[in-house]
Amino acid sequence: MKPGGLLKKYSIKPRDFVKAGEGSIRIQKFLKFIGFDAGLIRRISICAYEAEMNVVMHGGDGEMSMLVDPKEIVLEVADDGPGIPDIGLALQEGYSTASPEHREMGFGAGMGLPNIKKNADSLDIHSGNGQGVHLTMCFEVKTR
Amino acid sequence: MMAGAAQHREPVRYVQIDESLCNGCVLCIKACPTKAIRIREGKARIEGVCIDCCECVRVCPRRAIQAITSESLDLAEKDHIIVSPSTVLYSQFGEDVLPNDVLLGLKRMGFGYIHDQSYTSEIFNLAVELYIKENREKPDAPLPFISPVCPVVVSLIAYRFQSLLKHIPPLITPREIVAREGKTRLAARHGLDAETFKVLHITPCPSKMICMKESILQEHSYLDAAIGINTIYGELKRNIHDVEDDIVLHHSGGIGLSWGMSGGEISGVELNCLAVSGLEETIRYLEKIEIGLLGDIDYVEFRACTEGCLGGPFTVMDKYQGKRNLQKLVRMFGVEKQVKYGYVKKLYDKGWFFTDKKESHEEAITQISAVDIARGIERLKRIEETLKLLPRKECGACGSPDCTTFAEDVTDGKASLESCVFWKDQKRKLNIRP
Ligand SMILES: Nc1ncnc2c1ncn2[C@@H]1O[C@H](COP(=O)(O)OP(=O)(O)O)[C@@H](O)[C@H]1O
Ligand code: SF4
Ligand code: SF4
Ligand SMILES: [Mg+2]
């Protein structure tokens, strides 16, 4: 662990819709507690939630981790599920492989990854067929 | 962490603890949503930010915690007092007592003017519709909008969910509209100064008194005093029987009457709405909204009390029986709107519904310094280190509500590890030498 940094980890269970979103809420509470500004927290929470829900819906066993540093917050969400065969396609607005059941629950608009891309200062996706998904999102902390 | 919120509040406390009755059990410290209470030297004390929810009042088995139910208002000058009861009052006397009977009972008690709130509530419903239709399509519209009506919810947002303040429309509540219009109209009619008339609100909760003094939504309140339903109940009840008067003081339909119960406010709003009641559920939903969820909903009616204001701490009737009474009234008066849309639109365009404090809704653009962030991280690390030393029994015997809060108190120098009743065992277990 970097000096000055703080690491938080939460596990994510696929298909567990009851607990889904809890990790994001905890991440958000945690950032609020430290005192980051609301706009930054909101962006991080949106990304955390979308990534968490993707693991719940499409992924395998997963973990969300966040490294908090006075200058930068790095959020990583990884799972060992089926992975994304075509990342470029998955990043397109509206593209979704969500099942009809997911859509009934109000998910599957295909806006998750595009939203992450929009809200994170940088996004890196590592994946491939059968290789799980590893997202790395960075957020710059602007201070005076 | 939430330094800003503390400055809003004067040290006036509407919730008070009688130390002679308090035996220092842990029920209130665990119930408080802002973790404001600690047990010090065997007695409960409110040390943090109180949002007047009265959860502590409700759980205290010894009745050691009470909320102040009324405020000094010279009741001798009754003829200059406008009484404006919460619509909940109509549910408190049984099925056969109609709103108009209740209002006439107040008249009989000698108050100069009696102003019903349920009709104005129906007007307010339309104002909310207009506001939301005008604003929801704007880029970055803060959806869902959140009702400004329950003061405990507003305080909770100001304290724990500051980023959601901008979700509260800058509209003044029905109780304030009734007070403002009552005063100005009477003043005009009698050629007197508006402040000659004082407005007394009959309330189901102490939080109304707080927002009379200082509200984050409003610079100036038109209410002058408040009295708990339970305080005025006995005398009012004696005055309700055999009312022969044929003056009509109540004008609303069922929608305005239903405001006392959860879902009542939104029953008159023809948009995609949600009603949430009870503090625990309210917090759960605010958390969701804060991470960006529920954006497909236009308006959420939050009520800190379970079942809505019927469950307020100053009510007399059990909330479910009160609900039955209100439901009967709603059936009797029907759900037809009594208010004309064009009339409300005109008032709306004149600015009639807007608060005098619009800026408070803008999110304060606070740039935090790098030093503050570093300090925040350091503090959190120390809290987590301290937490590792604790047994996590969450017993509250140390005087703090849970181990995490105790770790915070220790880190901030407000408590000592020695106060943990398991500390001796822990030291042995963890091999800590004195
Ligand atoms: N963790 C993951 N595991 C497997 N596939 C994923 C994962 N995350 C995203 N995907 C794929 O990328 C697509 C687009 O994701 P997203 O933009 O979040 O839309 P949505 O979740 O609404 O389908 C998903 O439909 C899915 O096929
Ligand atoms: S009224 Fe509510 S916020 Fe205030 S001390 Fe009691 S429980 Fe805490
Ligand atoms: S729900 Fe009603 S009675 Fe309860 S605190 Fe809010 S306004 Fe007061
Ligand atoms: Mg998604």
Side-chain angles (χ1 to χ4, degrees):
Chain A
M1 189 165 91
K2 272 198 269 174
L6 192 72
L7 186 68
K8 285 269 129 188
K9 283 186 176 169
Y10 306 99
S11 68
I12 309 170
K13 287 263 159 294
R15 273 24 98 203
D16 185 352
F17 283 91
V18 178
K19 290 246 155 75
E22 274 187 6
S24 313
I25 287 180
R26 276 159 76 178
I27 276 189
Q28 190 228 25
K29 274 191 187 162
F30 181 81
L31 294 171
K32 235 161 70 167
F33 192 84
I34 295 176
F36 288 103
D37 87 80
L40 177 67
I41 296 177
R42 199 175 174 84
R43 285 198 289 129
I44 298 174
S45 309
I46 290 170
C47 294
Y49 181 76
E50 292 293 357
E52 185 178 1
M53 288 316 295
N54 277 355
V55 174
V56 174
M57 265 193 298
H58 317 289
D61 278 324
E63 190 181 69
M64 167 145 70
S65 74
M66 179 171 64
L67 183 65
V68 180
D69 173 276
K71 291 210 164 61
E72 190 185 46
I73 294 167
V74 181
L75 181 66
E76 291 185 62
V77 178
D79 73 88
D80 61 7
I84 304 175
D86 185 341
I87 295 173
L89 190 60
L91 274 166
Q92 280 176 20
E93 290 192 6
Y95 175 80
S96 174
T97 59
S99 66
E101 292 83 57
H102 290 152
R103 286 171 205 272
E104 252 166 44
M105 289 192 272
F107 301 109
M111 292 302 290
L113 291 174
N115 255 336
I116 294 176
K117 182 127 187 91
K118 198 170 80 193
N119 283 291
D121 291 321
S122 79
L123 164 66
D124 180 59
I125 308 178
H126 254 277
S127 189
N129 220 341
Q131 292 171 31
V133 177
H134 192 129
L135 298 187
T136 308
M137 297 154 266
C138 298
F139 304 85
E140 192 190 328
V141 179
K142 292 200 189 72
T143 49
R144 59 178 154 80
Chain B
M1 129 185 75
M2 287 135 182
Q7 288 158 11
H8 282 303
R9 194 163 297 299
E10 285 174 24
V12 193
R13 289 253 153 82
Y14 286 82
V15 174
Q16 294 184 341
I17 300 173
D18 182 343
E19 292 203 347
S20 68
L21 294 173
C22 172
N23 75 343
C25 76
V26 298
L27 295 175
C28 61
I29 60 175
K30 291 200 169 287
C32 177
T34 59
K35 301 192 195 299
I37 314 176
R38 297 290 183 278
I39 308 289
R40 302 280 186 225
E41 285 143 26
K43 304 289 176 188
R45 265 188 222 151
I46 302 179
E47 296 186 345
V49 174
C50 168
I51 57 167
D52 312 294
C53 65
C54 293
E55 289 299 300
C56 54
V57 176
R58 288 184 240 256
V59 297
C60 178
R62 305 170 68 91
R63 296 179 153 271
I65 314 183
Q66 297 288 339
I68 294 176
T69 65
S70 73
E71 278 202 311
S72 52
L73 181 72
D74 193 355
L75 293 179
E77 303 248 336
K78 271 186 180 164
D79 48 336
H80 280 129
I81 294 179
I82 304 169
V83 178
S84 161
S86 152
T87 48
V88 170
L89 189 66
Y90 304 144
S91 68
Q92 305 286 295
F93 298 93
E95 295 184 289
D96 304 319
V97 178
L98 298 181
N100 207 55
D101 301 336
V102 176
L103 296 170
L104 287 173
L106 288 166
K107 183 102 187 119
R108 260 201 178 183
M109 283 174 71
F111 292 110
Y113 307 92
I114 317 295
H115 288 193
D116 164 58
Q117 230 177 73
S118 54
Y119 184 73
T120 309
S121 299
E122 292 188 10
I123 296 180
F124 179 85
N125 280 151
L126 294 185
V128 165
E129 269 181 34
L130 285 166
Y131 180 84
I132 291 177
K133 283 181 188 155
E134 193 175 86
N135 289 283
R136 69 178 163 189
E137 310 299 344
K138 290 187 180 163
D140 296 322
L143 289 169
F145 287 101
I146 293 174
S147 166
V149 170
C150 173
V152 170
V153 172
V154 173
S155 297
L156 180 67
I157 292 175
Y159 176 64
R160 266 179 72 172
F161 300 94
Q162 280 144 342
S163 74
L164 299 182
L165 278 173
K166 61 176 185 297
H167 290 243
I168 305 175
L171 301 173
I172 81 171
T173 59
R175 55 179 185 273
E176 287 289 343
I177 298 176
V178 168
R180 183 188 67 192
E181 292 307 304
K183 280 181 179 179
T184 42
R185 283 179 200 181
L186 282 172
R189 193 194 303 160
H190 298 285
L192 292 167
D193 186 67
E195 286 311 310
T196 319
F197 301 96
K198 300 291 173 205
V199 179
L200 175 67
H201 178 56
I202 302 178
T203 178
C205 60
S207 58
K208 308 287 169 49
M209 301 180 200
I210 304 292
C211 53
M212 274 163 22
K213 299 253 167 351
E214 32 150 1
S215 161
I216 51 159
L217 303 182
Q218 222 177 326
E219 234 24 282
H220 170 76
S221 168
Y222 297 91
L223 298 169
D224 297 286
I227 187 166
I229 290 176
N230 53 1
T231 306
I232 207 167
Y233 189 77
E235 197 186 340
L236 177 55
K237 193 166 181 171
R238 282 194 295 281
N239 279 284
I240 284 181
H241 63 88
D242 304 330
V243 246
E244 289 158 14
D245 239 322
D246 55 1
I247 315 170
V248 181
L249 294 170
H250 167 248
H251 304 280
S252 85
I255 289 179
L257 292 172
S258 68
W259 266 57
M261 56 184 154
S262 171
E265 179 186 355
I266 62 165
S267 73
V269 182
E270 287 175 32
L271 295 167
N272 188 13
C273 299
L274 205 63
V276 177
S277 76
L279 208 52
E280 212 174 297
E281 294 289 276
T282 294
I283 291 171
R284 213 159 62 80
Y285 270 80
L286 290 173
E287 282 174 349
K288 287 188 183 183
I289 297 173
E290 211 174 34
I291 66 167
L293 303 184
L294 305 177
D296 55 330
I297 289 170
D298 293 318
Y299 190 65
V300 187
E301 168 203 309
F302 281 111
R303 295 292 186 267
C305 300
T306 306
E307 294 288 332
C309 302
L310 282 169
F314 294 160
T315 54
V316 175
M317 186 157 289
D318 169 75
K319 55 181 173 296
Y320 298 111
Q321 291 181 32
K323 186 174 175 183
R324 177 203 57 199
N325 293 343
L326 268 192
Q327 281 170 332
K328 187 169 175 198
L329 287 175
V330 172
R331 278 198 303 277
M332 195 185 291
F333 285 81
V335 292
E336 196 104 354
K337 278 191 186 144
Q338 301 299 310
V339 181
K340 293 274 171 301
Y341 187 80
Y343 166 69
V344 179
K345 176 84 168 82
K346 249 187 230 149
L347 295 174
Y348 182 88
D349 290 339
K350 274 202 286 187
W352 212 74
F353 294 101
F354 288 89
T355 69
D356 51 3
K357 202 176 181 178
K358 283 184 196 173
E359 330 77 73
S360 75
H361 297 258
E362 303 296 323
E363 205 174 309
I365 305 151
T366 42
Q367 278 274 332
I368 304 135
S369 73
V371 180
D372 287 341
I373 293 293
R375 219 180 267 144
I377 294 176
E378 275 320 303
R379 175 168 176 260
L380 199 69
K381 276 186 181 167
R382 279 169 50 210
I383 291 169
E384 295 193 336
E385 287 309 312
T386 307
L387 205 49
K388 282 186 198 145
L389 305 175
L390 301 176
R392 304 303 290 267
K393 305 255 187 205
E394 312 295 348
C395 65
C398 56
S400 303
D402 46 59
C403 296
T404 312
T405 312
F406 179 60
E408 279 174 50
D409 289 351
V410 170
T411 304
D412 296 341
K414 291 183 192 157
S416 143
L417 278 171
E418 306 291 332
S419 308
C420 170
V421 292
F422 300 97
W423 183 232
K424 270 199 191 118
D425 283 355
Q426 285 297 108
K427 275 199 288 198
R428 207 175 315 120
K429 263 192 216 151
L430 300 166
N431 250 326
I432 300 172
R433 262 162 287 245

